[in-house]
Amino acid sequence: MKSFFYLILIMMTISGLAETYSQKKISLNDAINLAVNQNSSVVKNSNSIITYQANIKNAYGNLLPNLNIGGGFNWQRISDDGGKTQIDYFGNPQTIGPSQIDSRNWSVSARGNVTLFDGLSNIASINKSKSDLEAAKLNLEKLKQDVILQTVNLYVQIVSYQKLLNFQQEDLDYNNGLLDRVKEMYNLKMVSISDVYSQEAQSANSRVAFLQAKNNLEKAKINLISYLSLDISQNYQFDSTITTANDSLLTNVKSEDLIEYALSNRKDLQSMRYQQESAQNQLTIARGGLFPILTGNYGFSSSAVQPSDLMNRRIYSFGLSLNIPVFSNWNTETSIQSAEVQVKNNEEDLKTLESNIKSQVATAALDLQTARQQLDASNTALTATKESWQIKKESYRLGAATYLDLQLAYNNYLQAQYNKINNEYKYLFAQYTLLNVIGRY
């Protein structure tokens, strides 16, 4: 029986070790790399870049001559039963006999045309396609930066919840141990029964808080795993060691300098400028409808009754066509007005974005300063409340302090610990937020 028990114990131990080592460890840098390569939004936007590249190729293609090659075969049979009288070309009646005529025709051709002048619309189309491509690339980079920031947020939440869970475990062990001590003191007639009941309630609340912290941690892991497009059924272990983003831009730098840096490096602002260029090119394209269009056409064809005689009779052609727009039912005017409105709207969007960037940088810088001050204050409060709790704990053991005094001191320490963990998260996220809004990360 004992051997069977030991066998089960060994199997459970091996299973636990296998599960531990099967967990894939993910650091913050690993999570960021996964996000910028596997996040669904990033993948879809990366795929769309191919479309913009194809548009450039298509715009260049409009400058080149096109060529179409064709071939054909026709067969025709005319059957006449005859026996009817018809009038010939000279006005004489004649009786037509039965007849059957077969005819075949083989043909090949090559034709094409080229636009020689279209009011510079083709050149503007090329420039517009290039601007659209650059804008799309910059938008993709900005999306990656936002994805990184969200990944940091989700990852730091896991680390914070892990710290809270560890602290809740300590809190639960402390309250369970204190409950045993209070019961012993009650048995020695040192405290009243109310202290026992109060501590039992405190231990129960601590157990609930521990379970809630555990639940929050698991939810945070699920959120990050889903955001990284990983398999939710796999086990992952997250590194709880995160260093703050030590960057010279975050310390001792004036807000004006940060704003200037942001206006030079924000990808979405750079993208907006390319979109403005694209709108200007669209206006050029629309105005091209006011100019004449000159096209050239060319062709070659041959036809014969037998395929072997196809090249015996050759036809060459070349021509020019000039199309002068006189009245287009106001379609050209409408296109020009729409393009002009788009240019003005892009200019307004550009100004609004610049204003928003300035506000975001100033706000993020203030949030970082506040988060740093809150973290320093919470560290000081934690040290003070912990010392006060230790003193009250010793006083309660000696009977010099009441249970309420002890719990008040402990609750203050508990709240200080919560504040410290939350402020660590706020400070770290505030750093990455400032790096994001200035276009650094």
Side-chain angles (χ1 to χ4, degrees):
M1 187 65 181
K2 285 186 177 181
S3 60
F4 178 76
F5 173 77
Y6 288 133
L7 178 62
I8 295 297
L9 182 61
I10 292 173
M11 292 178 62
M12 292 177 62
T13 303
I14 294 175
S15 177
L17 290 174
E19 181 179 358
T20 300
Y21 286 105
S22 65
Q23 290 182 339
K24 182 179 179 180
K25 293 184 178 180
I26 300 179
S27 64
L28 177 58
N29 289 334
D30 294 334
I32 290 175
N33 291 331
L34 288 170
V36 297
N37 289 287
Q38 296 185 190
N39 179 265
S40 178
S41 297
V42 174
V43 171
K44 289 189 291 185
N45 278 270
S46 299
N47 294 337
S48 66
I49 297 296
I50 300 176
T51 304
Y52 292 98
Q53 294 172 340
N55 289 338
I56 294 179
K57 187 176 182 180
N58 180 67
Y60 273 110
N62 291 331
L63 294 176
L64 303 176
N66 61 39
L67 180 65
N68 298 312
I69 298 177
F73 167 75
N74 289 319
W75 171 81
Q76 185 180 28
R77 169 175 290 179
I78 301 176
S79 297
D80 195 334
D81 294 337
K84 294 182 180 180
T85 301
Q86 296 183 0
I87 302 301
D88 62 13
Y89 291 106
F90 301 100
N92 300 318
Q94 63 177 356
T95 301
I96 304 299
S99 65
Q100 179 174 295
I101 301 175
D102 288 353
S103 64
R104 294 173 177 82
N105 182 65
W106 298 80
S107 65
V108 292
S109 64
R111 294 182 176 85
N113 58 71
V114 58
T115 301
L116 302 176
F117 178 77
D118 63 348
L120 302 179
S121 294
N122 281 340
I123 301 299
S125 296
I126 294 174
N127 295 332
K128 181 180 183 301
S129 299
K130 290 181 178 179
S131 297
D132 291 340
L133 175 61
E134 294 302 320
K137 288 180 177 179
L138 290 167
N139 283 332
L140 177 60
E141 291 302 315
K142 182 61 172 69
L143 175 61
K144 289 181 178 180
Q145 291 178 343
D146 293 339
V147 166
I148 290 173
L149 181 62
Q150 180 62 11
T151 302
V152 171
N153 180 33
L154 295 174
Y155 196 97
V156 175
Q157 281 185 358
I158 292 177
V159 175
S160 297
Y161 282 134
Q162 182 63 62
K163 291 181 178 179
L164 287 173
L165 179 62
N166 295 338
F167 180 69
Q168 287 298 156
Q169 179 66 64
E170 295 176 4
D171 174 62
L172 180 59
D173 295 340
Y174 165 75
N175 280 290
N176 288 335
L178 181 58
L179 178 59
D180 294 336
R181 193 176 306 114
V182 170
K183 287 181 179 180
E184 292 177 358
M185 295 175 67
Y186 172 72
N187 292 333
L188 297 174
K189 307 300 183 181
M190 295 176 62
V191 297
S192 63
I193 189 62
S194 62
D195 288 1
V196 178
Y197 292 152
S198 297
Q199 185 55 37
E200 286 179 344
Q202 189 69 25
S203 296
N205 292 333
S206 180
R207 190 176 301 108
V208 171
F210 171 78
L211 295 175
Q212 184 63 51
K214 186 176 181 179
N215 187 45
N216 291 337
L217 175 60
E218 294 303 320
K219 287 182 178 180
K221 290 181 179 180
I222 292 173
N223 290 336
L224 178 59
I225 292 172
S226 177
Y227 191 72
L228 299 180
S229 299
L230 298 175
D231 186 0
I232 197 68
S233 62
Q234 299 296 321
N235 294 321
Y236 300 95
Q237 182 179 354
F238 300 94
D239 187 4
S240 59
T241 303
I242 300 180
T243 57
T244 57
N246 186 15
D247 195 293
S248 59
L249 286 173
L250 303 180
T251 58
N252 301 325
V253 179
K254 296 181 180 180
S255 180
E256 294 79 6
D257 295 333
L258 291 174
I259 291 174
E260 182 179 356
Y261 184 90
L263 294 177
S264 301
N265 292 275
R266 279 282 291 260
K267 303 302 181 184
D268 50 348
L269 184 61
Q270 296 173 5
S271 174
M272 184 64 68
R273 290 167 181 160
Y274 276 108
Q275 292 177 36
Q276 181 68 359
E277 292 181 7
S278 176
Q280 292 287 355
N281 286 309
Q282 182 60 45
L283 179 58
T284 302
I285 294 172
R287 288 173 176 169
L290 299 174
F291 296 90
I293 299 177
L294 180 63
T295 58
N297 57 79
Y298 40 86
F300 166 81
S301 63
S302 176
S303 61
V305 175
Q306 300 292 334
S308 58
D309 298 332
L310 272 176
M311 295 303 168
N312 294 339
R313 184 171 181 268
R314 299 172 297 278
I315 301 174
Y316 302 93
S317 65
F318 174 78
L320 293 175
S321 176
L322 181 64
N323 182 20
I324 301 176
V326 178
F327 179 67
S328 62
N329 304 99
W330 295 288
N331 291 328
T332 301
E333 182 182 357
T334 301
S335 299
I336 293 175
Q337 290 178 348
S338 298
E340 289 176 343
V341 170
Q342 186 61 46
V343 170
K344 293 179 180 179
N345 289 341
N346 281 4
E347 290 176 351
E348 187 63 27
D349 290 340
L350 188 61
K351 293 178 182 177
T352 302
L353 182 57
E354 289 179 351
S355 178
N356 290 338
I357 289 174
K358 293 177 182 178
S359 299
Q360 291 171 6
V361 173
T363 301
L366 289 175
D367 289 342
L368 179 59
Q369 294 177 6
T370 303
R372 176 72 260 184
Q373 293 171 359
Q374 289 175 339
L375 181 58
D376 293 339
S378 62
N379 288 330
T380 302
L382 178 62
T383 302
T385 54
K386 186 175 182 180
E387 291 295 329
S388 177
W389 169 53
Q390 294 291 346
I391 293 173
K392 292 296 182 183
K393 184 166 62 172
E394 183 63 21
S395 299
Y396 180 74
R397 187 181 66 84
L398 298 174
T402 65
Y403 176 79
L404 292 177
D405 294 334
L406 174 63
Q407 284 304 109
L408 179 61
Y410 180 72
N411 289 336
N412 290 336
Y413 165 69
L414 196 66
Q415 186 61 49
Q417 185 70 42
Y418 288 150
N419 292 339
K420 179 180 181 299
I421 294 175
N422 289 330
N423 288 334
E424 284 178 345
Y425 160 75
K426 291 179 181 179
Y427 177 60
L428 183 60
F429 187 65
Q431 287 185 311
Y432 281 98
T433 300
L434 181 55
L435 288 173
N436 176 267
V437 297
I438 64 176
R440 175 82 174 188
Y441 195 63

